[in-house]
Short mmCIF file of all heavy atoms in Angstrom, two decimals:
data_model
loop_
_atom_site.label_atom_id
_atom_site.label_comp_id
_atom_site.label_asym_id
_atom_site.label_seq_id
_atom_site.Cartn_x
_atom_site.Cartn_y
_atom_site.Cartn_z
N MET A 1 62.22 125.03 -40.91
CA MET A 1 62.16 125.68 -39.61
C MET A 1 62.08 127.19 -39.84
O MET A 1 62.77 127.75 -40.67
CB MET A 1 63.40 125.29 -38.81
CG MET A 1 63.47 125.95 -37.49
SD MET A 1 63.29 125.04 -35.97
CE MET A 1 63.35 123.37 -36.26
N ASN A 2 61.26 127.85 -39.07
CA ASN A 2 61.07 129.29 -39.20
C ASN A 2 62.01 130.04 -38.27
O ASN A 2 62.28 129.60 -37.16
CB ASN A 2 59.63 129.68 -38.86
CG ASN A 2 58.65 129.09 -39.87
OD1 ASN A 2 59.01 128.86 -41.00
ND2 ASN A 2 57.44 128.87 -39.44
N ASP A 3 62.52 131.17 -38.77
CA ASP A 3 63.33 132.04 -37.94
C ASP A 3 62.44 133.16 -37.41
O ASP A 3 61.62 133.72 -38.13
CB ASP A 3 64.47 132.65 -38.74
CG ASP A 3 65.52 131.62 -39.10
OD1 ASP A 3 65.60 130.60 -38.39
OD2 ASP A 3 66.24 131.84 -40.08
N LEU A 4 62.56 133.46 -36.14
CA LEU A 4 61.80 134.52 -35.50
C LEU A 4 62.73 135.71 -35.26
O LEU A 4 63.90 135.54 -34.91
CB LEU A 4 61.22 134.04 -34.17
CG LEU A 4 60.35 132.78 -34.25
CD1 LEU A 4 59.97 132.33 -32.85
CD2 LEU A 4 59.12 133.05 -35.07
N LEU A 5 62.20 136.90 -35.46
CA LEU A 5 62.98 138.11 -35.25
C LEU A 5 62.32 138.91 -34.14
O LEU A 5 61.14 139.25 -34.21
CB LEU A 5 63.03 138.94 -36.54
CG LEU A 5 63.86 140.21 -36.48
CD1 LEU A 5 65.34 139.86 -36.27
CD2 LEU A 5 63.69 141.00 -37.77
N TYR A 6 63.07 139.19 -33.06
CA TYR A 6 62.55 139.96 -31.94
C TYR A 6 63.61 140.94 -31.50
O TYR A 6 64.70 140.53 -31.07
CB TYR A 6 62.15 139.03 -30.79
CG TYR A 6 61.64 139.75 -29.58
CD1 TYR A 6 60.40 140.37 -29.59
CD2 TYR A 6 62.40 139.84 -28.42
CE1 TYR A 6 59.92 141.05 -28.48
CE2 TYR A 6 61.94 140.50 -27.31
CZ TYR A 6 60.70 141.11 -27.35
OH TYR A 6 60.22 141.77 -26.25
N ARG A 7 63.31 142.22 -31.63
CA ARG A 7 64.22 143.30 -31.23
C ARG A 7 65.61 143.13 -31.82
O ARG A 7 66.63 143.28 -31.15
CB ARG A 7 64.29 143.41 -29.71
CG ARG A 7 62.99 143.85 -29.10
CD ARG A 7 63.16 144.18 -27.65
NE ARG A 7 61.89 144.66 -27.10
CZ ARG A 7 61.77 145.17 -25.90
NH1 ARG A 7 62.81 145.28 -25.11
NH2 ARG A 7 60.60 145.58 -25.47
N GLY A 8 65.65 142.78 -33.10
CA GLY A 8 66.92 142.69 -33.79
C GLY A 8 67.66 141.39 -33.62
O GLY A 8 68.72 141.21 -34.19
N HIS A 9 67.15 140.45 -32.82
CA HIS A 9 67.79 139.15 -32.62
C HIS A 9 66.98 138.07 -33.32
O HIS A 9 65.75 138.09 -33.29
CB HIS A 9 67.91 138.82 -31.14
CG HIS A 9 68.75 139.80 -30.38
ND1 HIS A 9 70.13 139.81 -30.45
CD2 HIS A 9 68.42 140.81 -29.55
CE1 HIS A 9 70.59 140.78 -29.69
NE2 HIS A 9 69.57 141.42 -29.13
N THR A 10 67.67 137.12 -33.95
CA THR A 10 67.01 136.03 -34.64
C THR A 10 67.00 134.79 -33.75
O THR A 10 68.00 134.45 -33.13
CB THR A 10 67.76 135.71 -35.95
OG1 THR A 10 67.84 136.91 -36.72
CG2 THR A 10 67.03 134.67 -36.75
N TYR A 11 65.84 134.16 -33.66
CA TYR A 11 65.66 132.95 -32.86
C TYR A 11 65.08 131.86 -33.74
O TYR A 11 64.35 132.12 -34.68
CB TYR A 11 64.70 133.20 -31.69
CG TYR A 11 65.17 134.27 -30.75
CD1 TYR A 11 64.78 135.59 -30.92
CD2 TYR A 11 65.99 133.96 -29.68
CE1 TYR A 11 65.21 136.59 -30.05
CE2 TYR A 11 66.42 134.94 -28.81
CZ TYR A 11 66.03 136.25 -28.99
OH TYR A 11 66.45 137.22 -28.14
N LYS A 12 65.38 130.63 -33.41
CA LYS A 12 64.78 129.49 -34.10
C LYS A 12 63.47 129.13 -33.40
O LYS A 12 63.40 129.10 -32.17
CB LYS A 12 65.71 128.27 -34.06
CG LYS A 12 66.97 128.44 -34.85
CD LYS A 12 66.67 128.32 -36.32
CE LYS A 12 67.97 128.36 -37.11
NZ LYS A 12 67.73 128.38 -38.52
N ALA A 13 62.43 128.86 -34.19
CA ALA A 13 61.15 128.46 -33.62
C ALA A 13 61.27 127.04 -33.07
O ALA A 13 61.91 126.18 -33.68
CB ALA A 13 60.05 128.53 -34.68
N PRO A 14 60.67 126.78 -31.92
CA PRO A 14 60.76 125.43 -31.36
C PRO A 14 59.94 124.44 -32.21
O PRO A 14 58.94 124.81 -32.81
CB PRO A 14 60.16 125.57 -29.96
CG PRO A 14 59.32 126.79 -30.03
CD PRO A 14 59.94 127.68 -31.05
N THR A 15 60.41 123.21 -32.26
CA THR A 15 59.68 122.20 -33.02
C THR A 15 58.46 121.76 -32.21
O THR A 15 58.54 121.58 -31.00
CB THR A 15 60.57 120.98 -33.30
OG1 THR A 15 61.04 120.46 -32.05
CG2 THR A 15 61.76 121.36 -34.15
N PRO A 16 57.31 121.62 -32.87
CA PRO A 16 56.11 121.21 -32.14
C PRO A 16 56.23 119.76 -31.67
O PRO A 16 56.74 118.90 -32.38
CB PRO A 16 55.00 121.36 -33.17
CG PRO A 16 55.66 121.34 -34.49
CD PRO A 16 57.05 121.85 -34.28
N LYS A 17 55.78 119.53 -30.46
CA LYS A 17 55.83 118.19 -29.88
C LYS A 17 54.48 117.51 -30.08
O LYS A 17 53.44 118.17 -30.00
CB LYS A 17 56.14 118.27 -28.39
CG LYS A 17 57.48 118.86 -28.09
CD LYS A 17 57.72 118.96 -26.60
CE LYS A 17 59.06 119.62 -26.31
NZ LYS A 17 59.29 119.81 -24.89
N PRO A 18 54.48 116.23 -30.36
CA PRO A 18 53.19 115.54 -30.51
C PRO A 18 52.44 115.52 -29.18
O PRO A 18 53.03 115.36 -28.11
CB PRO A 18 53.57 114.13 -30.95
CG PRO A 18 55.00 113.97 -30.58
CD PRO A 18 55.60 115.34 -30.56
N LYS A 19 51.14 115.73 -29.27
CA LYS A 19 50.31 115.79 -28.08
C LYS A 19 50.04 114.39 -27.55
O LYS A 19 49.69 113.49 -28.32
CB LYS A 19 48.99 116.48 -28.40
CG LYS A 19 48.10 116.68 -27.22
CD LYS A 19 46.85 117.42 -27.61
CE LYS A 19 45.95 117.60 -26.40
NZ LYS A 19 44.71 118.27 -26.76
N THR A 20 50.24 114.21 -26.27
CA THR A 20 49.95 112.92 -25.66
C THR A 20 48.57 112.97 -25.01
O THR A 20 48.18 113.98 -24.42
CB THR A 20 51.00 112.55 -24.60
OG1 THR A 20 51.02 113.59 -23.61
CG2 THR A 20 52.37 112.43 -25.21
N CYS A 21 47.84 111.89 -25.14
CA CYS A 21 46.49 111.81 -24.56
C CYS A 21 46.59 111.32 -23.12
O CYS A 21 47.33 110.40 -22.81
CB CYS A 21 45.63 110.86 -25.37
SG CYS A 21 45.39 111.37 -27.06
N LEU A 22 45.85 111.97 -22.26
CA LEU A 22 45.80 111.59 -20.85
C LEU A 22 44.36 111.32 -20.46
O LEU A 22 43.44 111.97 -20.95
CB LEU A 22 46.34 112.70 -19.96
CG LEU A 22 47.80 113.09 -20.14
CD1 LEU A 22 48.12 114.28 -19.25
CD2 LEU A 22 48.71 111.93 -19.80
N GLU A 23 44.17 110.38 -19.56
CA GLU A 23 42.84 110.14 -19.02
C GLU A 23 42.80 110.71 -17.61
O GLU A 23 43.61 110.34 -16.76
CB GLU A 23 42.51 108.65 -19.00
CG GLU A 23 41.09 108.38 -18.56
CD GLU A 23 40.70 106.93 -18.70
OE1 GLU A 23 41.25 106.25 -19.57
OE2 GLU A 23 39.84 106.49 -17.92
N LEU A 24 41.89 111.64 -17.39
CA LEU A 24 41.77 112.32 -16.11
C LEU A 24 40.50 111.89 -15.40
O LEU A 24 39.51 111.53 -16.04
CB LEU A 24 41.76 113.83 -16.32
CG LEU A 24 42.94 114.40 -17.10
CD1 LEU A 24 42.70 115.87 -17.36
CD2 LEU A 24 44.22 114.18 -16.35
N THR A 25 40.52 111.92 -14.08
CA THR A 25 39.35 111.56 -13.28
C THR A 25 38.98 112.73 -12.39
O THR A 25 39.84 113.31 -11.72
CB THR A 25 39.65 110.33 -12.41
OG1 THR A 25 40.11 109.28 -13.25
CG2 THR A 25 38.43 109.87 -11.66
N TYR A 26 37.70 113.10 -12.42
CA TYR A 26 37.20 114.18 -11.57
C TYR A 26 35.83 113.78 -11.07
O TYR A 26 34.91 113.54 -11.86
CB TYR A 26 37.13 115.49 -12.36
CG TYR A 26 36.56 116.64 -11.57
CD1 TYR A 26 37.28 117.22 -10.54
CD2 TYR A 26 35.30 117.14 -11.83
CE1 TYR A 26 36.78 118.27 -9.81
CE2 TYR A 26 34.78 118.19 -11.11
CZ TYR A 26 35.52 118.76 -10.10
OH TYR A 26 35.00 119.80 -9.37
N ARG A 27 35.69 113.66 -9.77
CA ARG A 27 34.44 113.26 -9.13
C ARG A 27 33.87 111.98 -9.75
O ARG A 27 32.72 111.92 -10.15
CB ARG A 27 33.41 114.39 -9.20
CG ARG A 27 33.82 115.58 -8.36
CD ARG A 27 32.71 116.57 -8.28
NE ARG A 27 33.12 117.70 -7.45
CZ ARG A 27 32.35 118.74 -7.20
NH1 ARG A 27 31.14 118.81 -7.71
NH2 ARG A 27 32.78 119.72 -6.44
N GLN A 28 34.72 110.99 -9.84
CA GLN A 28 34.39 109.66 -10.34
C GLN A 28 33.95 109.65 -11.80
O GLN A 28 33.32 108.72 -12.26
CB GLN A 28 33.32 109.00 -9.46
CG GLN A 28 33.78 108.84 -8.03
CD GLN A 28 32.69 108.25 -7.14
OE1 GLN A 28 31.55 108.11 -7.56
NE2 GLN A 28 33.05 107.91 -5.93
N GLU A 29 34.25 110.69 -12.55
CA GLU A 29 34.00 110.73 -13.99
C GLU A 29 35.35 110.71 -14.71
O GLU A 29 36.30 111.33 -14.26
CB GLU A 29 33.23 112.00 -14.39
CG GLU A 29 31.84 112.08 -13.82
CD GLU A 29 30.89 111.08 -14.46
OE1 GLU A 29 31.08 110.76 -15.66
OE2 GLU A 29 29.98 110.61 -13.77
N HIS A 30 35.42 110.00 -15.81
CA HIS A 30 36.65 109.88 -16.57
C HIS A 30 36.59 110.77 -17.80
O HIS A 30 35.60 110.78 -18.53
CB HIS A 30 36.88 108.42 -16.98
CG HIS A 30 37.05 107.51 -15.82
ND1 HIS A 30 38.25 107.37 -15.16
CD2 HIS A 30 36.19 106.71 -15.17
CE1 HIS A 30 38.11 106.53 -14.16
NE2 HIS A 30 36.86 106.09 -14.14
N TYR A 31 37.66 111.53 -18.02
CA TYR A 31 37.75 112.44 -19.15
C TYR A 31 39.06 112.18 -19.88
O TYR A 31 40.07 111.88 -19.27
CB TYR A 31 37.73 113.90 -18.68
CG TYR A 31 36.48 114.25 -17.93
CD1 TYR A 31 36.44 114.20 -16.55
CD2 TYR A 31 35.33 114.63 -18.60
CE1 TYR A 31 35.28 114.52 -15.86
CE2 TYR A 31 34.17 114.95 -17.92
CZ TYR A 31 34.16 114.89 -16.56
OH TYR A 31 33.01 115.20 -15.87
N ASN A 32 39.04 112.34 -21.20
CA ASN A 32 40.23 112.17 -22.02
C ASN A 32 40.65 113.54 -22.54
O ASN A 32 39.80 114.31 -22.98
CB ASN A 32 39.93 111.21 -23.17
CG ASN A 32 41.19 110.72 -23.82
OD1 ASN A 32 42.24 111.33 -23.71
ND2 ASN A 32 41.09 109.59 -24.52
N THR A 33 41.94 113.84 -22.53
CA THR A 33 42.40 115.15 -22.96
C THR A 33 42.38 115.30 -24.47
O THR A 33 42.41 116.42 -24.98
CB THR A 33 43.82 115.43 -22.45
OG1 THR A 33 44.69 114.40 -22.92
CG2 THR A 33 43.87 115.49 -20.94
N CYS A 34 42.35 114.21 -25.22
CA CYS A 34 42.25 114.28 -26.68
C CYS A 34 40.78 114.40 -27.07
O CYS A 34 39.92 113.72 -26.52
CB CYS A 34 42.84 113.04 -27.34
SG CYS A 34 44.61 112.93 -27.11
N ARG A 35 40.53 115.28 -28.00
CA ARG A 35 39.15 115.46 -28.44
C ARG A 35 38.76 114.36 -29.42
O ARG A 35 39.53 113.98 -30.27
CB ARG A 35 38.97 116.81 -29.11
CG ARG A 35 39.17 117.93 -28.14
CD ARG A 35 38.90 119.24 -28.81
NE ARG A 35 39.12 120.29 -27.84
CZ ARG A 35 38.32 121.32 -27.70
NH1 ARG A 35 37.31 121.46 -28.48
NH2 ARG A 35 38.56 122.22 -26.79
N GLN A 36 37.54 113.89 -29.26
CA GLN A 36 37.04 112.87 -30.17
C GLN A 36 36.31 113.54 -31.31
O GLN A 36 35.86 114.67 -31.21
CB GLN A 36 36.10 111.93 -29.43
CG GLN A 36 36.79 111.18 -28.31
CD GLN A 36 35.81 110.32 -27.52
OE1 GLN A 36 34.62 110.37 -27.78
NE2 GLN A 36 36.32 109.56 -26.59
N VAL A 37 36.18 112.84 -32.41
CA VAL A 37 35.48 113.36 -33.57
C VAL A 37 34.01 113.49 -33.24
O VAL A 37 33.40 112.57 -32.71
CB VAL A 37 35.69 112.44 -34.79
CG1 VAL A 37 34.92 112.94 -35.98
CG2 VAL A 37 37.16 112.32 -35.09
N GLY A 38 33.43 114.66 -33.52
CA GLY A 38 32.03 114.90 -33.21
C GLY A 38 31.10 114.14 -34.13
O GLY A 38 31.45 113.75 -35.24
N SER A 39 29.89 113.94 -33.68
CA SER A 39 28.93 113.17 -34.46
C SER A 39 28.18 114.04 -35.46
O SER A 39 27.67 113.55 -36.44
CB SER A 39 27.93 112.49 -33.53
OG SER A 39 27.24 113.46 -32.77
N ARG A 40 28.10 115.33 -35.21
CA ARG A 40 27.38 116.19 -36.15
C ARG A 40 28.37 116.84 -37.12
O ARG A 40 29.55 116.99 -36.82
CB ARG A 40 26.57 117.25 -35.41
CG ARG A 40 27.39 118.23 -34.65
CD ARG A 40 26.48 119.22 -33.96
NE ARG A 40 27.30 120.17 -33.24
CZ ARG A 40 26.84 121.10 -32.48
NH1 ARG A 40 25.55 121.23 -32.33
NH2 ARG A 40 27.65 121.92 -31.87
N PRO A 41 27.89 117.23 -38.30
CA PRO A 41 28.81 117.81 -39.29
C PRO A 41 29.38 119.15 -38.83
O PRO A 41 28.75 119.90 -38.10
CB PRO A 41 27.93 117.99 -40.52
CG PRO A 41 26.54 117.96 -40.02
CD PRO A 41 26.55 117.13 -38.78
N ILE A 42 30.60 119.44 -39.27
CA ILE A 42 31.30 120.64 -38.84
C ILE A 42 30.81 121.88 -39.58
O ILE A 42 30.91 122.98 -39.08
CB ILE A 42 32.82 120.44 -39.05
CG1 ILE A 42 33.31 119.30 -38.18
CG2 ILE A 42 33.60 121.70 -38.73
CD1 ILE A 42 34.75 118.93 -38.41
N ASP A 43 30.25 121.70 -40.78
CA ASP A 43 29.90 122.85 -41.61
C ASP A 43 28.65 123.59 -41.15
O ASP A 43 28.38 124.68 -41.63
CB ASP A 43 29.75 122.44 -43.06
CG ASP A 43 28.69 121.37 -43.26
OD1 ASP A 43 28.35 120.68 -42.29
OD2 ASP A 43 28.21 121.23 -44.41
N GLN A 44 27.88 123.04 -40.20
CA GLN A 44 26.68 123.73 -39.70
C GLN A 44 26.70 123.78 -38.18
O GLN A 44 27.04 122.81 -37.53
CB GLN A 44 25.42 123.01 -40.15
CG GLN A 44 25.14 123.11 -41.62
CD GLN A 44 23.83 122.45 -41.97
OE1 GLN A 44 23.20 121.84 -41.12
NE2 GLN A 44 23.42 122.58 -43.21
N ILE A 45 26.30 124.93 -37.65
CA ILE A 45 26.17 125.10 -36.21
C ILE A 45 24.74 125.53 -35.93
O ILE A 45 24.23 126.46 -36.55
CB ILE A 45 27.16 126.16 -35.68
CG1 ILE A 45 28.59 125.72 -35.94
CG2 ILE A 45 26.94 126.39 -34.20
CD1 ILE A 45 29.61 126.77 -35.58
N HIS A 46 24.07 124.85 -35.01
CA HIS A 46 22.70 125.18 -34.66
C HIS A 46 22.69 126.08 -33.43
O HIS A 46 23.25 125.75 -32.40
CB HIS A 46 21.91 123.90 -34.38
CG HIS A 46 21.79 123.03 -35.58
ND1 HIS A 46 20.83 123.21 -36.53
CD2 HIS A 46 22.54 121.98 -36.00
CE1 HIS A 46 20.97 122.30 -37.48
NE2 HIS A 46 22.02 121.54 -37.18
N LEU A 47 22.08 127.25 -33.55
CA LEU A 47 22.02 128.23 -32.48
C LEU A 47 20.56 128.51 -32.13
O LEU A 47 19.69 128.45 -32.98
CB LEU A 47 22.70 129.53 -32.92
CG LEU A 47 24.14 129.42 -33.40
CD1 LEU A 47 24.58 130.73 -34.00
CD2 LEU A 47 25.03 129.04 -32.25
N THR A 48 20.32 128.82 -30.87
CA THR A 48 18.98 129.20 -30.43
C THR A 48 19.08 130.52 -29.70
O THR A 48 19.89 130.69 -28.79
CB THR A 48 18.40 128.13 -29.48
OG1 THR A 48 18.42 126.87 -30.15
CG2 THR A 48 16.98 128.47 -29.09
N TYR A 49 18.24 131.50 -30.12
CA TYR A 49 18.22 132.81 -29.49
C TYR A 49 16.78 133.19 -29.25
O TYR A 49 16.00 133.30 -30.20
CB TYR A 49 18.93 133.84 -30.37
CG TYR A 49 18.91 135.24 -29.81
CD1 TYR A 49 19.68 135.55 -28.70
CD2 TYR A 49 18.11 136.22 -30.36
CE1 TYR A 49 19.66 136.83 -28.17
CE2 TYR A 49 18.09 137.50 -29.84
CZ TYR A 49 18.87 137.79 -28.74
OH TYR A 49 18.84 139.06 -28.22
N ARG A 50 16.40 133.36 -28.00
CA ARG A 50 15.06 133.73 -27.60
C ARG A 50 14.00 132.82 -28.22
O ARG A 50 12.98 133.26 -28.72
CB ARG A 50 14.76 135.18 -27.95
CG ARG A 50 15.61 136.15 -27.14
CD ARG A 50 15.18 137.56 -27.36
NE ARG A 50 15.98 138.45 -26.55
CZ ARG A 50 15.81 139.76 -26.51
NH1 ARG A 50 14.88 140.33 -27.23
NH2 ARG A 50 16.58 140.50 -25.74
N GLY A 51 14.28 131.52 -28.22
CA GLY A 51 13.33 130.54 -28.70
C GLY A 51 13.34 130.33 -30.20
O GLY A 51 12.67 129.43 -30.70
N ALA A 52 14.08 131.12 -30.96
CA ALA A 52 14.16 130.95 -32.41
C ALA A 52 15.44 130.21 -32.76
O ALA A 52 16.51 130.51 -32.25
CB ALA A 52 14.14 132.30 -33.11
N CYS A 53 15.33 129.20 -33.62
CA CYS A 53 16.49 128.40 -34.02
C CYS A 53 17.11 128.97 -35.29
O CYS A 53 16.40 129.38 -36.21
CB CYS A 53 16.08 126.95 -34.26
SG CYS A 53 15.53 126.15 -32.75
N TYR A 54 18.43 129.01 -35.31
CA TYR A 54 19.18 129.51 -36.45
C TYR A 54 20.24 128.48 -36.82
O TYR A 54 20.72 127.74 -35.97
CB TYR A 54 19.89 130.84 -36.14
CG TYR A 54 18.93 131.95 -35.77
CD1 TYR A 54 18.60 132.17 -34.44
CD2 TYR A 54 18.37 132.74 -36.74
CE1 TYR A 54 17.72 133.20 -34.10
CE2 TYR A 54 17.49 133.76 -36.40
CZ TYR A 54 17.17 133.98 -35.09
OH TYR A 54 16.31 134.96 -34.75
N ILE A 55 20.62 128.45 -38.08
CA ILE A 55 21.70 127.59 -38.54
C ILE A 55 22.79 128.49 -39.12
O ILE A 55 22.54 129.29 -40.01
CB ILE A 55 21.22 126.60 -39.61
CG1 ILE A 55 20.17 125.67 -39.03
CG2 ILE A 55 22.40 125.80 -40.16
CD1 ILE A 55 19.56 124.74 -40.07
N LYS A 56 23.98 128.36 -38.57
CA LYS A 56 25.13 129.14 -39.05
C LYS A 56 25.98 128.22 -39.90
O LYS A 56 26.39 127.15 -39.48
CB LYS A 56 25.94 129.67 -37.88
CG LYS A 56 27.15 130.46 -38.30
CD LYS A 56 27.92 130.98 -37.11
CE LYS A 56 29.15 131.73 -37.57
NZ LYS A 56 29.96 132.19 -36.44
N HIS A 57 26.24 128.64 -41.13
CA HIS A 57 27.05 127.87 -42.05
C HIS A 57 28.48 128.37 -42.00
O HIS A 57 28.73 129.56 -42.08
CB HIS A 57 26.53 127.99 -43.49
CG HIS A 57 25.14 127.45 -43.64
ND1 HIS A 57 24.89 126.11 -43.78
CD2 HIS A 57 23.94 128.07 -43.65
CE1 HIS A 57 23.58 125.94 -43.91
NE2 HIS A 57 22.99 127.12 -43.82
N ARG A 58 29.40 127.44 -41.83
CA ARG A 58 30.81 127.81 -41.87
C ARG A 58 31.26 127.81 -43.31
O ARG A 58 30.88 126.97 -44.10
CB ARG A 58 31.65 126.81 -41.08
CG ARG A 58 31.46 126.94 -39.61
CD ARG A 58 32.46 126.09 -38.90
NE ARG A 58 32.28 126.20 -37.47
CZ ARG A 58 33.06 125.65 -36.60
NH1 ARG A 58 34.06 124.91 -37.00
NH2 ARG A 58 32.85 125.79 -35.32
N GLY A 59 32.12 128.74 -43.61
CA GLY A 59 32.58 128.73 -44.99
C GLY A 59 33.67 129.67 -45.27
O GLY A 59 34.46 130.20 -44.71
#
């Protein structure tokens, strides 16, 4: 557990809570609050600027 220091006082950091998934409905569409794994690879992002396509590599 991490100790936080603020203006000379020490505080304990709160423990993270596990995220619960919820299914929401908006205008007859169903949405899930948990993100699903994407189908395209994470290491490349395809961008388009003024009709020209670019690939940005994460690294």
